[in-house]
Amino acid sequence: MVSLKSTLPEFNDINDIISYYSQSSDFSNLMISNELTLSIAYFGSLVDEKIIHENISTPILDKIEEISSLNLEAIRKILPIKDTKIQNNMEDITQQVLQGKSLIFFKDNADRCIVVNSLATSKGYREQNDAENESSVIGPKVGFVENIDTNLRLLRKSLNTPNLKFEEMVVGTTSNTKVVIAYLDGVINKEYLYTARQRIKDLDYDLICDSSMLDQLITDNSNTPFPLLLTTERVDRAAFCLINGQLTILCDGSPYAINAPTSIFDFFVSPEDYLLPWVLGSFFRMIRFLGVMFSITATPIYVAVLTYHIAIIPKDMLGPIIDSRVNVPFPPLIEALFLEIIIEFLREAGARLPTKVGQTLGIVGGIVIGQAAVEAALTSNILLIIVALSALASFTTPTFKMSNTIRFLRFPLIILASIWGGLGLVAGVIILFTHIIRLKSFGIPYLAPLYPLRYRDLTDGFLRFPLLMINKRRTIFRPLIQSRFSVKAKIKDKRDDFNNE
């Protein structure tokens, strides 16, 4: 089985390690002394620059004349840092750089180096660093922040591998915003990397202040209500996308990361699904899909039935429906639009107001306005229940952008149902699916793996199979390495061999 580690080149000396790590934009290789060819190398996203300056470079420069040529032991004694070692094992050195350690070495004699612990212990964290809009009950809650260097550190802490590469670019003719493309070398299909790089380079826009603006400018189709690129504020979700062979785009000043390519199923997956037993994870995922279908179609069905198909209502239900609508002067279309717009008003007002006030407004406003509307005979109590349940169901999606799309789709379906009844609703659903089938994300079909059908990828689609059964990366992303980990027979059988102990 091909592993991620096997994609690394063979390092013969420190210069080979520096050459490989220099492909990532957050790696620095600084010359301390030209005469002695003395250099220091480190990942800027992991180390504390203050330690580099005060405890490494300054003491060496102050006593540079006392250091004999190619004498690492003399340099190590100068450093006012306890955790220092002279090492010559290239494999160990490769991993220690990823742990926030710096390398001090002579370029002309690069078979060994001084490894200095310069890790920034608090860099990348703040008091309020939780993911606010993608919260979960269990699992890590660390989210991205507005500082891109901090976000790079958070990613490196999650994926401690030399294959993680960062490619830095500058966009915005006026803002000159720093943008970084993160990917796993040896896993990602380079076609997506070239596509992202080219689309960002071709941008001729004056101000890029958030990743959402960058999302709209590099997406495959900007004339669709569906989000074609997955934005997330969770570090663990971005790391999972990188592991699957996707790329992550970070924008300075934005606490959200863009993941591409993506399919429509990614917007219904929560990181919490993989932290629960697979039966519960699959159940909650199905609840989300059912909630979306109910949210989109419940109100249009009500309008279609009461406008054109009253005969299909059972006799036992006909009486309560007549009683609830007997004093309502409006047709079902106006009644439904009235309630849906009120719900949108409450949502928008609650989102813009301070948190405590917004929560109070949403609860009290919904109860008071809904009850007053029923008593004033502006709407029926049955439709009030349906609209309230539809609003709740739209929040089951773990991604805010897809929730907005679901809110929007109800309105055209309600209008079609009021014009042609059930036929209009069916026509609207067919048009919707036709539109989704034609969408692509970085060239990947948006409806994959359902269309085109990929049986193996369905193990992590509508249902979440056991973790041991989803050891393969999704084929729709065409990763260079298919296997994520090996599944041994002993692990599958859950039997321990005590005879070998």
Side-chain angles (χ1 to χ4, degrees), residues 55-121:
N55 298 338
I56 299 179
S57 61
T58 300
I60 292 176
L61 290 174
D62 290 342
K63 299 184 178 181
I64 193 70
E65 296 179 357
E66 302 176 12
I67 300 173
S68 59
S69 178
L70 307 181
N71 190 347
L72 291 177
E73 184 62 34
I75 298 175
R76 192 180 73 85
K77 292 179 179 179
I78 293 174
L79 301 178
I81 301 176
K82 182 179 180 180
D83 191 0
T84 60
K85 292 181 181 179
I86 297 178
Q87 293 192 356
N88 57 6
N89 188 312
M90 298 303 149
E91 186 175 349
D92 292 342
I93 294 172
T94 303
Q95 292 299 323
Q96 288 177 344
V97 178
L98 294 170
Q99 297 170 4
K101 297 185 178 180
S102 304
L103 307 181
I104 303 174
F105 65 100
F106 293 100
K107 286 190 175 182
D108 295 340
N109 187 15
D111 58 342
R112 60 191 189 128
C113 68
I114 303 175
V115 179
V116 183
N117 185 7
S118 53
L119 175 67
T121 56

Side-chain angles (χ1 to χ4, degrees), residues 223-380:
N223 298 319
T224 175
F226 289 91
L228 301 182
L229 302 177
L230 178 63
T231 57
T232 180
E233 62 176 343
R234 294 180 62 113
V235 178
D236 58 339
R237 186 160 194 169
F240 187 77
C241 289
L242 290 171
I243 284 292
N244 277 332
Q246 299 164 270
L247 59 86
T248 297
I249 303 174
L250 300 164
C251 182
D252 194 17
S254 174
Y256 284 86
I258 304 172
N259 299 287
T262 187
S263 73
I264 193 172
F265 290 95
D266 292 328
F267 295 92
F268 298 93
V269 173
S270 171
E272 206 170 14
D273 294 347
Y274 302 95
L275 306 178
L276 296 171
W278 74 272
V279 176
L280 296 179
S282 299
F283 173 74
F284 293 135
R285 191 174 293 185
M286 287 298 300
I287 288 292
R288 295 188 200 111
F289 284 108
L290 293 175
V292 169
M293 288 188 287
F294 178 85
S295 179
I296 293 176
T297 59
T299 307
I301 289 175
Y302 173 87
V303 173
V305 168
L306 291 189
T307 306
Y308 293 98
H309 312 293
I310 195 74
I312 70 173
I313 301 177
K315 292 182 179 179
D316 295 337
M317 292 183 61
L318 196 58
I321 292 177
I322 293 175
D323 292 339
S324 66
R325 281 192 47 82
V326 66
N327 295 320
V328 178
F330 304 115
L333 171 63
I334 304 300
E335 180 189 8
L337 290 178
F338 173 73
L339 270 184
E340 289 286 357
I341 292 174
I342 286 180
I343 292 293
E344 296 303 321
F345 284 163
L346 290 172
R347 279 182 172 181
E348 287 299 308
R352 302 295 177 267
L353 289 171
T355 304
K356 295 182 179 180
V357 179
Q359 293 175 351
T360 304
L361 176 68
I363 298 172
V364 177
I367 296 173
V368 173
I369 295 176
Q371 185 65 28
V374 172
E375 292 182 357
L378 297 177
T379 183
S380 64

